[in-house]
Amino acid sequence: MQSWNDLKSEIKEWIVRSAETPFLSALKNELKECGSVLEVGSGIHSQIGKVPRKFYLEGIDLLPIKKNKKLWIHDAYKKGDIRNLRKYYKNSSFDAVIAIDVIEHLTKKDGFRLLDDMEWIARKKIIILTPEGFHVQGTVDGNPFMEHLSGWSTGEFKKYGYTTHGMHGLKILRGEEASIKYKPWYVWILVSHLTQYITHFFPRIAFHIIAIKSLPKGKENTQDLT
């Protein structure tokens, strides 16, 4: 017979998986017509690994990638500085370029350059996940690259032609590293998940926003966001 502790553990896992579902579903839907995807600031433990795919997936990150290919989510990895993507990739070389929880770790100037470079590389669309507004976060596990250096708003993305939706519930429920601020956390993460159905339509009150820009066929990447 299953113990109460085991049952509680399974319930908690289900709640966490459910909280991730809206973003993963959106990502899957947006990439369904893409044959190649570049993930900027990928690391090796990206959420895109939870998305069923048939497309070619490449990751680029400044930190070295572990040599154990059994841990790889992407088909290929490149070590490089994401603040200068044009050094590594050609114009219109991937159907989609995505950045998951990346742009907030750059200065505003470098962030605008990243947006410009992503649009230069992408043929079909750009997808970005980032906190709505500025959220304080310092180094994590001694990694200085985890510090938040900028904040990005729904209005800002819309100004540059992006469509935005709220993700991961109300921003008032979360603190550093997107952790739930209240206890018991598994109750409040469920509350956060339920509020997702509101924040989807009102991204300004959401913790995360997903910003999507679809590019015209035969697009010419001439816009300079900086």
Side-chain angles (χ1 to χ4, degrees):
M1 181 179 293
Q2 188 177 38
S3 70
W4 172 237
N5 286 336
D6 288 341
L7 180 59
K8 285 197 298 183
S9 179
E10 288 185 9
I11 292 172
K12 289 178 182 179
E13 289 180 10
W14 176 81
I15 292 171
V16 172
R17 288 197 304 270
S18 297
E20 294 176 337
T21 298
F23 171 64
L24 297 177
S25 296
L27 200 56
K28 177 183 177 182
N29 182 63
E30 292 296 332
L31 296 176
K32 63 183 178 182
E33 295 182 0
C34 294
S36 60
V37 177
L38 172 65
E39 182 176 13
V40 175
S42 61
I44 60 169
H45 299 297
S46 170
Q47 292 185 66
I48 199 170
K50 300 175 183 178
V51 176
R53 65 179 178 90
K54 296 181 180 179
F55 50 80
Y56 171 82
L57 177 63
E58 183 166 325
I60 180 170
D61 202 293
L62 186 61
L63 298 177
I65 303 299
K66 294 180 180 180
K67 294 181 180 180
N68 187 352
K69 291 189 176 182
K70 292 181 180 180
L71 299 177
W72 285 18
I73 291 171
H74 304 68
D75 296 302
Y77 291 99
K78 184 172 290 185
K79 182 181 178 182
D81 190 342
I82 65 171
R83 294 170 296 184
N84 189 15
L85 288 177
R86 298 193 196 202
K87 177 181 177 181
Y88 311 98
Y89 298 104
K90 296 179 180 180
N91 177 251
S92 300
S93 51
F94 284 83
D95 284 340
V97 184
I98 68 174
I100 301 173
D101 280 326
V102 170
I103 198 169
E104 65 272 15
H105 299 287
L106 302 178
T107 65
K108 208 69 174 180
K109 180 180 178 180
D110 288 337
F112 278 119
R113 181 175 183 178
L114 177 66
L115 293 179
D116 193 34
D117 285 353
M118 290 174 72
E119 187 164 342
W120 189 78
I121 294 167
R123 282 190 291 265
K124 293 183 178 180
K125 63 180 56 180
I126 306 151
I127 303 171
I128 296 169
L129 182 76
T130 188
E132 212 291 333
F134 182 76
H135 291 258
V136 175
Q137 179 173 295
T139 59
V140 178
D141 296 329
N143 183 356
F145 295 111
M146 296 301 291
E147 183 179 359
H148 286 185
L149 300 179
S150 61
W152 300 81
S153 69
T154 296
E156 209 162 21
F157 279 113
K158 287 186 175 181
K159 180 180 177 181
Y160 293 109
Y162 285 79
T163 298
T164 61
H165 296 292
M167 289 286 162
H168 301 135
L170 293 169
K171 67 172 68 178
I172 60 173
L173 299 178
R174 295 179 182 265
E176 286 197 41
E177 299 180 56
S179 60
I180 294 294
K181 294 194 292 186
Y182 308 109
K183 295 180 180 180
W185 71 267
Y186 52 89
V187 171
W188 286 100
I189 198 171
L190 179 58
V191 172
S192 175
H193 175 50
L194 293 174
T195 62
Q196 163 69 30
Y197 299 98
I198 299 172
T199 57
H200 175 84
F201 299 102
F202 301 97
R204 286 181 173 83
I205 61 174
F207 180 80
H208 271 112
I209 48 176
I210 182 172
I212 302 158
K213 186 171 186 178
S214 297
L215 303 173
K217 293 182 179 180
K219 60 92 178 175
E220 294 181 1
N221 300 80
T222 57
Q223 183 183 18
D224 184 358
L225 300 181
T226 58

